[in-house]
Structures are given as structure tokens and as C-alpha cells.
mmCIF file of all heavy atoms in Angstrom:
data_model
loop_
_atom_site.group_PDB
_atom_site.id
_atom_site.type_symbol
_atom_site.label_atom_id
_atom_site.label_comp_id
_atom_site.label_asym_id
_atom_site.label_seq_id
_atom_site.Cartn_x
_atom_site.Cartn_y
_atom_site.Cartn_z
ATOM 1 N N SER A 199 -35.349 10.961 1.402
ATOM 2 C CA SER A 199 -34.722 11.409 0.152
ATOM 3 C C SER A 199 -35.755 11.923 -0.853
ATOM 4 O O SER A 199 -35.402 12.539 -1.853
ATOM 5 C CB SER A 199 -33.874 10.296 -0.465
ATOM 6 O OG SER A 199 -34.688 9.248 -0.950
ATOM 7 N N ASN A 200 -37.029 11.668 -0.579
ATOM 8 C CA ASN A 200 -38.110 12.191 -1.420
ATOM 9 C C ASN A 200 -38.874 13.311 -0.719
ATOM 10 O O ASN A 200 -40.069 13.495 -0.940
ATOM 11 C CB ASN A 200 -39.036 11.046 -1.831
ATOM 12 C CG ASN A 200 -38.452 10.250 -2.971
ATOM 13 O OD1 ASN A 200 -38.597 10.609 -4.131
ATOM 14 N ND2 ASN A 200 -37.732 9.186 -2.640
ATOM 15 N N GLN A 201 -38.156 14.038 0.151
ATOM 16 C CA GLN A 201 -38.662 15.225 0.836
ATOM 17 C C GLN A 201 -39.938 14.964 1.647
ATOM 18 O O GLN A 201 -40.806 15.838 1.755
ATOM 19 C CB GLN A 201 -38.887 16.378 -0.147
ATOM 20 C CG GLN A 201 -37.626 16.951 -0.743
ATOM 21 C CD GLN A 201 -37.002 16.033 -1.777
ATOM 22 O OE1 GLN A 201 -37.656 15.550 -2.681
ATOM 23 N NE2 GLN A 201 -35.715 15.779 -1.633
ATOM 24 N N GLN A 202 -40.026 13.801 2.239
ATOM 25 C CA GLN A 202 -41.148 13.501 3.122
ATOM 26 C C GLN A 202 -40.769 13.908 4.546
ATOM 27 O O GLN A 202 -39.602 13.831 4.927
ATOM 28 C CB GLN A 202 -41.491 12.011 3.061
ATOM 29 C CG GLN A 202 -41.860 11.527 1.663
ATOM 30 C CD GLN A 202 -43.154 12.137 1.170
ATOM 31 O OE1 GLN A 202 -44.242 11.758 1.595
ATOM 32 N NE2 GLN A 202 -43.049 13.107 0.276
ATOM 33 N N SER A 203 -41.738 14.357 5.323
ATOM 34 C CA SER A 203 -41.449 14.861 6.665
ATOM 35 C C SER A 203 -41.749 13.851 7.770
ATOM 36 O O SER A 203 -41.412 14.090 8.930
ATOM 37 C CB SER A 203 -42.247 16.136 6.922
ATOM 38 O OG SER A 203 -43.636 15.854 6.896
ATOM 39 N N ALA A 204 -42.387 12.740 7.408
ATOM 40 C CA ALA A 204 -42.732 11.726 8.405
ATOM 41 C C ALA A 204 -43.140 10.444 7.682
ATOM 42 O O ALA A 204 -43.405 10.461 6.475
ATOM 43 C CB ALA A 204 -43.876 12.208 9.291
ATOM 44 N N ILE A 205 -43.200 9.374 8.455
ATOM 45 C CA ILE A 205 -43.711 8.109 7.935
ATOM 46 C C ILE A 205 -44.705 7.576 8.966
ATOM 47 O O ILE A 205 -44.468 7.676 10.173
ATOM 48 C CB ILE A 205 -42.558 7.119 7.628
ATOM 49 C CG1 ILE A 205 -43.050 5.913 6.842
ATOM 50 C CG2 ILE A 205 -41.817 6.713 8.878
ATOM 51 C CD1 ILE A 205 -41.919 5.089 6.211
ATOM 52 N N TRP A 206 -45.832 7.077 8.488
ATOM 53 C CA TRP A 206 -46.872 6.597 9.389
ATOM 54 C C TRP A 206 -47.396 5.254 8.908
ATOM 55 O O TRP A 206 -47.152 4.849 7.776
ATOM 56 C CB TRP A 206 -47.998 7.625 9.535
ATOM 57 C CG TRP A 206 -48.727 7.977 8.286
ATOM 58 C CD1 TRP A 206 -48.379 8.933 7.364
ATOM 59 C CD2 TRP A 206 -49.931 7.381 7.797
ATOM 60 N NE1 TRP A 206 -49.293 8.969 6.343
ATOM 61 C CE2 TRP A 206 -50.261 8.018 6.586
ATOM 62 C CE3 TRP A 206 -50.763 6.369 8.265
ATOM 63 C CZ2 TRP A 206 -51.390 7.675 5.840
ATOM 64 C CZ3 TRP A 206 -51.893 6.029 7.528
ATOM 65 C CH2 TRP A 206 -52.193 6.685 6.336
ATOM 66 N N LEU A 207 -48.097 4.568 9.808
ATOM 67 C CA LEU A 207 -48.576 3.220 9.504
ATOM 68 C C LEU A 207 -49.738 2.849 10.397
ATOM 69 O O LEU A 207 -50.027 3.527 11.375
ATOM 70 C CB LEU A 207 -47.444 2.207 9.681
ATOM 71 C CG LEU A 207 -46.774 2.159 11.057
ATOM 72 C CD1 LEU A 207 -47.445 1.169 11.994
ATOM 73 C CD2 LEU A 207 -45.310 1.814 10.912
ATOM 74 N N PHE A 208 -50.390 1.745 10.035
ATOM 75 C CA PHE A 208 -51.397 1.102 10.873
ATOM 76 C C PHE A 208 -50.822 -0.236 11.308
ATOM 77 O O PHE A 208 -50.155 -0.914 10.510
ATOM 78 C CB PHE A 208 -52.690 0.815 10.100
ATOM 79 C CG PHE A 208 -53.393 2.015 9.520
ATOM 80 C CD1 PHE A 208 -53.999 1.931 8.282
ATOM 81 C CD2 PHE A 208 -53.472 3.212 10.208
ATOM 82 C CE1 PHE A 208 -54.675 3.011 7.741
ATOM 83 C CE2 PHE A 208 -54.145 4.305 9.680
ATOM 84 C CZ PHE A 208 -54.754 4.202 8.440
ATOM 85 N N THR A 209 -51.086 -0.637 12.532
ATOM 86 C CA THR A 209 -50.711 -1.978 12.977
ATOM 87 C C THR A 209 -51.752 -2.492 13.961
ATOM 88 O O THR A 209 -52.267 -1.737 14.787
ATOM 89 C CB THR A 209 -49.283 -2.025 13.568
ATOM 90 O OG1 THR A 209 -48.887 -3.379 13.738
ATOM 91 C CG2 THR A 209 -49.179 -1.289 14.884
ATOM 92 N N TRP A 210 -52.064 -3.768 13.838
ATOM 93 C CA TRP A 210 -53.055 -4.414 14.680
ATOM 94 C C TRP A 210 -52.631 -4.329 16.143
ATOM 95 O O TRP A 210 -51.485 -4.616 16.481
ATOM 96 C CB TRP A 210 -53.219 -5.870 14.232
ATOM 97 C CG TRP A 210 -54.050 -6.725 15.123
ATOM 98 C CD1 TRP A 210 -55.266 -6.402 15.679
ATOM 99 C CD2 TRP A 210 -53.753 -8.036 15.570
ATOM 100 N NE1 TRP A 210 -55.731 -7.442 16.436
ATOM 101 C CE2 TRP A 210 -54.816 -8.475 16.385
ATOM 102 C CE3 TRP A 210 -52.693 -8.907 15.353
ATOM 103 C CZ2 TRP A 210 -54.853 -9.716 16.995
ATOM 104 C CZ3 TRP A 210 -52.730 -10.151 15.951
ATOM 105 C CH2 TRP A 210 -53.798 -10.544 16.759
ATOM 106 N N VAL A 211 -53.541 -3.919 17.017
ATOM 107 C CA VAL A 211 -53.219 -3.737 18.425
ATOM 108 C C VAL A 211 -52.806 -5.048 19.106
ATOM 109 O O VAL A 211 -52.135 -5.027 20.130
ATOM 110 C CB VAL A 211 -54.362 -3.064 19.223
ATOM 111 C CG1 VAL A 211 -54.666 -1.677 18.689
ATOM 112 C CG2 VAL A 211 -55.601 -3.935 19.263
ATOM 113 N N GLY A 212 -53.178 -6.178 18.529
ATOM 114 C CA GLY A 212 -52.801 -7.469 19.092
ATOM 115 C C GLY A 212 -51.439 -7.964 18.661
ATOM 116 O O GLY A 212 -50.968 -9.011 19.126
ATOM 117 N N ASN A 213 -50.782 -7.221 17.766
ATOM 118 C CA ASN A 213 -49.466 -7.631 17.287
ATOM 119 C C ASN A 213 -48.403 -6.920 18.126
ATOM 120 O O ASN A 213 -47.769 -5.963 17.684
ATOM 121 C CB ASN A 213 -49.322 -7.308 15.799
ATOM 122 C CG ASN A 213 -48.096 -7.954 15.179
ATOM 123 O OD1 ASN A 213 -47.191 -8.404 15.871
ATOM 124 N ND2 ASN A 213 -48.081 -7.987 13.856
ATOM 125 N N LYS A 214 -48.218 -7.407 19.339
ATOM 126 C CA LYS A 214 -47.288 -6.790 20.286
ATOM 127 C C LYS A 214 -45.869 -6.730 19.724
ATOM 128 O O LYS A 214 -45.156 -5.736 19.913
ATOM 129 C CB LYS A 214 -47.310 -7.553 21.610
ATOM 130 C CG LYS A 214 -46.420 -6.925 22.664
ATOM 131 C CD LYS A 214 -46.613 -7.566 24.010
ATOM 132 C CE LYS A 214 -45.663 -7.118 25.071
ATOM 133 N NZ LYS A 214 -44.895 -5.935 24.918
ATOM 134 N N LYS A 215 -45.469 -7.768 19.005
ATOM 135 C CA LYS A 215 -44.123 -7.804 18.427
ATOM 136 C C LYS A 215 -43.918 -6.618 17.475
ATOM 137 O O LYS A 215 -42.892 -5.946 17.523
ATOM 138 C CB LYS A 215 -43.914 -9.133 17.701
ATOM 139 C CG LYS A 215 -42.520 -9.377 17.223
ATOM 140 C CD LYS A 215 -42.420 -10.774 16.626
ATOM 141 C CE LYS A 215 -41.022 -11.067 16.168
ATOM 142 N NZ LYS A 215 -40.901 -12.419 15.610
ATOM 143 N N ALA A 216 -44.907 -6.352 16.629
ATOM 144 C CA ALA A 216 -44.808 -5.226 15.692
ATOM 145 C C ALA A 216 -44.843 -3.892 16.431
ATOM 146 O O ALA A 216 -44.052 -2.993 16.129
ATOM 147 C CB ALA A 216 -45.933 -5.290 14.664
ATOM 148 N N ILE A 217 -45.737 -3.761 17.388
ATOM 149 C CA ILE A 217 -45.833 -2.506 18.144
ATOM 150 C C ILE A 217 -44.517 -2.213 18.851
ATOM 151 O O ILE A 217 -44.011 -1.084 18.806
ATOM 152 C CB ILE A 217 -47.011 -2.555 19.137
ATOM 153 C CG1 ILE A 217 -48.324 -2.606 18.356
ATOM 154 C CG2 ILE A 217 -46.989 -1.362 20.079
ATOM 155 C CD1 ILE A 217 -49.527 -2.991 19.191
ATOM 156 N N ASP A 218 -43.937 -3.231 19.489
ATOM 157 C CA ASP A 218 -42.641 -3.054 20.162
ATOM 158 C C ASP A 218 -41.552 -2.670 19.161
ATOM 159 O O ASP A 218 -40.718 -1.803 19.435
ATOM 160 C CB ASP A 218 -42.241 -4.324 20.916
ATOM 161 C CG ASP A 218 -43.115 -4.596 22.128
ATOM 162 O OD1 ASP A 218 -43.874 -3.690 22.550
ATOM 163 O OD2 ASP A 218 -43.045 -5.732 22.648
ATOM 164 N N PHE A 219 -41.561 -3.305 18.001
ATOM 165 C CA PHE A 219 -40.584 -3.014 16.941
ATOM 166 C C PHE A 219 -40.664 -1.547 16.525
ATOM 167 O O PHE A 219 -39.652 -0.840 16.471
ATOM 168 C CB PHE A 219 -40.852 -3.947 15.749
ATOM 169 C CG PHE A 219 -40.064 -3.636 14.509
ATOM 170 C CD1 PHE A 219 -38.719 -3.951 14.412
ATOM 171 C CD2 PHE A 219 -40.690 -3.043 13.417
ATOM 172 C CE1 PHE A 219 -38.006 -3.666 13.257
ATOM 173 C CE2 PHE A 219 -39.980 -2.767 12.259
ATOM 174 C CZ PHE A 219 -38.632 -3.079 12.183
ATOM 175 N N TYR A 220 -41.882 -1.081 16.245
ATOM 176 C CA TYR A 220 -42.045 0.307 15.800
ATOM 177 C C TYR A 220 -41.732 1.296 16.915
ATOM 178 O O TYR A 220 -41.149 2.348 16.662
ATOM 179 C CB TYR A 220 -43.453 0.536 15.244
ATOM 180 C CG TYR A 220 -43.721 -0.242 13.985
ATOM 181 C CD1 TYR A 220 -44.799 -1.116 13.894
ATOM 182 C CD2 TYR A 220 -42.895 -0.122 12.870
ATOM 183 C CE1 TYR A 220 -45.053 -1.836 12.737
ATOM 184 C CE2 TYR A 220 -43.128 -0.844 11.717
ATOM 185 C CZ TYR A 220 -44.212 -1.704 11.656
ATOM 186 O OH TYR A 220 -44.435 -2.420 10.517
ATOM 187 N N THR A 221 -42.103 0.964 18.128
ATOM 188 C CA THR A 221 -41.810 1.844 19.265
ATOM 189 C C THR A 221 -40.301 1.993 19.450
ATOM 190 O O THR A 221 -39.798 3.102 19.645
ATOM 191 C CB THR A 221 -42.482 1.313 20.546
ATOM 192 O OG1 THR A 221 -43.899 1.258 20.321
ATOM 193 C CG2 THR A 221 -42.196 2.207 21.737
ATOM 194 N N ARG A 222 -39.558 0.876 19.365
ATOM 195 C CA ARG A 222 -38.087 0.934 19.466
ATOM 196 C C ARG A 222 -37.493 1.789 18.352
ATOM 197 O O ARG A 222 -36.456 2.420 18.529
ATOM 198 C CB ARG A 222 -37.478 -0.472 19.423
ATOM 199 C CG ARG A 222 -37.569 -1.231 20.714
ATOM 200 C CD ARG A 222 -36.715 -2.500 20.703
ATOM 201 N NE ARG A 222 -36.899 -3.354 19.540
ATOM 202 C CZ ARG A 222 -37.840 -4.291 19.404
ATOM 203 N NH1 ARG A 222 -38.697 -4.511 20.381
ATOM 204 N NH2 ARG A 222 -37.908 -5.011 18.307
ATOM 205 N N ALA A 223 -38.153 1.814 17.191
ATOM 206 C CA ALA A 223 -37.665 2.602 16.056
ATOM 207 C C ALA A 223 -38.032 4.078 16.181
ATOM 208 O O ALA A 223 -37.635 4.885 15.335
ATOM 209 C CB ALA A 223 -38.213 2.036 14.746
ATOM 210 N N GLY A 224 -38.803 4.449 17.217
ATOM 211 C CA GLY A 224 -39.127 5.858 17.429
ATOM 212 C C GLY A 224 -40.546 6.258 17.077
ATOM 213 O O GLY A 224 -40.914 7.434 17.186
ATOM 214 N N PHE A 225 -41.381 5.322 16.651
ATOM 215 C CA PHE A 225 -42.765 5.627 16.318
ATOM 216 C C PHE A 225 -43.569 5.861 17.594
ATOM 217 O O PHE A 225 -43.292 5.256 18.630
ATOM 218 C CB PHE A 225 -43.411 4.466 15.550
ATOM 219 C CG PHE A 225 -43.012 4.368 14.113
ATOM 220 C CD1 PHE A 225 -41.794 3.798 13.751
ATOM 221 C CD2 PHE A 225 -43.856 4.810 13.093
ATOM 222 C CE1 PHE A 225 -41.421 3.679 12.428
ATOM 223 C CE2 PHE A 225 -43.491 4.692 11.769
ATOM 224 C CZ PHE A 225 -42.270 4.134 11.433
ATOM 225 N N THR A 226 -44.565 6.735 17.489
ATOM 226 C CA THR A 226 -45.508 6.960 18.588
ATOM 227 C C THR A 226 -46.923 6.716 18.080
ATOM 228 O O THR A 226 -47.200 6.890 16.891
ATOM 229 C CB THR A 226 -45.409 8.395 19.142
ATOM 230 O OG1 THR A 226 -45.647 9.324 18.075
ATOM 231 C CG2 THR A 226 -44.049 8.659 19.765
ATOM 232 N N THR A 227 -47.800 6.323 18.976
ATOM 233 C CA THR A 227 -49.198 6.075 18.618
ATOM 234 C C THR A 227 -49.933 7.409 18.564
ATOM 235 O O THR A 227 -49.847 8.208 19.497
ATOM 236 C CB THR A 227 -49.854 5.130 19.641
ATOM 237 O OG1 THR A 227 -49.107 3.914 19.678
ATOM 238 C CG2 THR A 227 -51.293 4.830 19.275
ATOM 239 N N ILE A 228 -50.650 7.636 17.453
ATOM 240 C CA ILE A 228 -51.362 8.904 17.271
ATOM 241 C C ILE A 228 -52.863 8.710 17.079
ATOM 242 O O ILE A 228 -53.580 9.675 16.868
ATOM 243 C CB ILE A 228 -50.780 9.717 16.090
ATOM 244 C CG1 ILE A 228 -50.885 8.936 14.778
ATOM 245 C CG2 ILE A 228 -49.353 10.142 16.390
ATOM 246 C CD1 ILE A 228 -50.578 9.753 13.529
ATOM 247 N N GLY A 229 -53.335 7.479 17.142
ATOM 248 C CA GLY A 229 -54.767 7.231 16.971
ATOM 249 C C GLY A 229 -55.033 5.760 16.755
ATOM 250 O O GLY A 229 -54.136 4.918 16.881
ATOM 251 N N SER A 230 -56.287 5.459 16.417
ATOM 252 C CA SER A 230 -56.669 4.077 16.126
ATOM 253 C C SER A 230 -57.921 4.064 15.260
ATOM 254 O O SER A 230 -58.609 5.085 15.130
ATOM 255 C CB SER A 230 -56.909 3.293 17.421
ATOM 256 O OG SER A 230 -58.021 3.819 18.105
ATOM 257 N N HIS A 231 -58.189 2.911 14.662
ATOM 258 C CA HIS A 231 -59.410 2.716 13.881
ATOM 259 C C HIS A 231 -59.692 1.220 13.809
ATOM 260 O O HIS A 231 -58.838 0.401 14.148
ATOM 261 C CB HIS A 231 -59.283 3.313 12.471
ATOM 262 C CG HIS A 231 -58.518 2.458 11.512
ATOM 263 N ND1 HIS A 231 -57.139 2.342 11.545
ATOM 264 C CD2 HIS A 231 -58.928 1.654 10.501
ATOM 265 C CE1 HIS A 231 -56.747 1.522 10.586
ATOM 266 N NE2 HIS A 231 -57.809 1.079 9.941
ATOM 267 N N ASP A 232 -60.892 0.896 13.360
ATOM 268 C CA ASP A 232 -61.257 -0.503 13.160
ATOM 269 C C ASP A 232 -60.997 -0.883 11.708
ATOM 270 O O ASP A 232 -61.558 -0.277 10.792
ATOM 271 C CB ASP A 232 -62.732 -0.734 13.517
ATOM 272 C CG ASP A 232 -62.987 -0.597 15.005
ATOM 273 O OD1 ASP A 232 -62.051 -0.857 15.786
ATOM 274 O OD2 ASP A 232 -64.113 -0.223 15.378
ATOM 275 N N PHE A 233 -60.140 -1.869 11.520
ATOM 276 C CA PHE A 233 -59.788 -2.372 10.189
ATOM 277 C C PHE A 233 -60.691 -3.562 9.882
ATOM 278 O O PHE A 233 -60.713 -4.537 10.631
ATOM 279 C CB PHE A 233 -58.318 -2.796 10.167
ATOM 280 C CG PHE A 233 -57.896 -3.411 8.870
ATOM 281 C CD1 PHE A 233 -57.555 -2.614 7.798
ATOM 282 C CD2 PHE A 233 -57.843 -4.791 8.722
ATOM 283 C CE1 PHE A 233 -57.169 -3.184 6.583
ATOM 284 C CE2 PHE A 233 -57.453 -5.362 7.526
ATOM 285 C CZ PHE A 233 -57.118 -4.555 6.448
ATOM 286 N N HIS A 234 -61.431 -3.461 8.788
ATOM 287 C CA HIS A 234 -62.358 -4.530 8.421
ATOM 288 C C HIS A 234 -61.635 -5.637 7.651
ATOM 289 O O HIS A 234 -61.163 -5.425 6.545
ATOM 290 C CB HIS A 234 -63.537 -3.979 7.622
ATOM 291 C CG HIS A 234 -64.478 -3.211 8.485
ATOM 292 N ND1 HIS A 234 -65.575 -3.785 9.093
ATOM 293 C CD2 HIS A 234 -64.456 -1.925 8.913
ATOM 294 C CE1 HIS A 234 -66.199 -2.881 9.834
ATOM 295 N NE2 HIS A 234 -65.534 -1.743 9.738
ATOM 296 N N VAL A 235 -61.590 -6.803 8.287
ATOM 297 C CA VAL A 235 -61.013 -7.993 7.669
ATOM 298 C C VAL A 235 -62.069 -8.640 6.786
ATOM 299 O O VAL A 235 -61.768 -9.185 5.729
ATOM 300 C CB VAL A 235 -60.525 -8.992 8.747
ATOM 301 C CG1 VAL A 235 -59.901 -10.227 8.115
ATOM 302 C CG2 VAL A 235 -59.544 -8.323 9.694
#
């Protein structure tokens, strides 16, 4: 509704539950990076 063409996010590769959730919602993996905790 705010004229955005996509939505993107970062998620920890070890969070299988989140990855599965986003994949079921139609998200695809487009890259990766190291997140400094």
C-alpha cells in the first residue's frame, strides 16, 4: 500500500523454523552475510 515492489530480510541460517516460515510465504534466498553479534 506504500508502493513498495518487494520485501526483504535477514535471517540466521541456523533458524530453520524461520527459514521454513519465510520459504512457505514465498521468499527466496538471494545472498548471505556475517552478522556480528
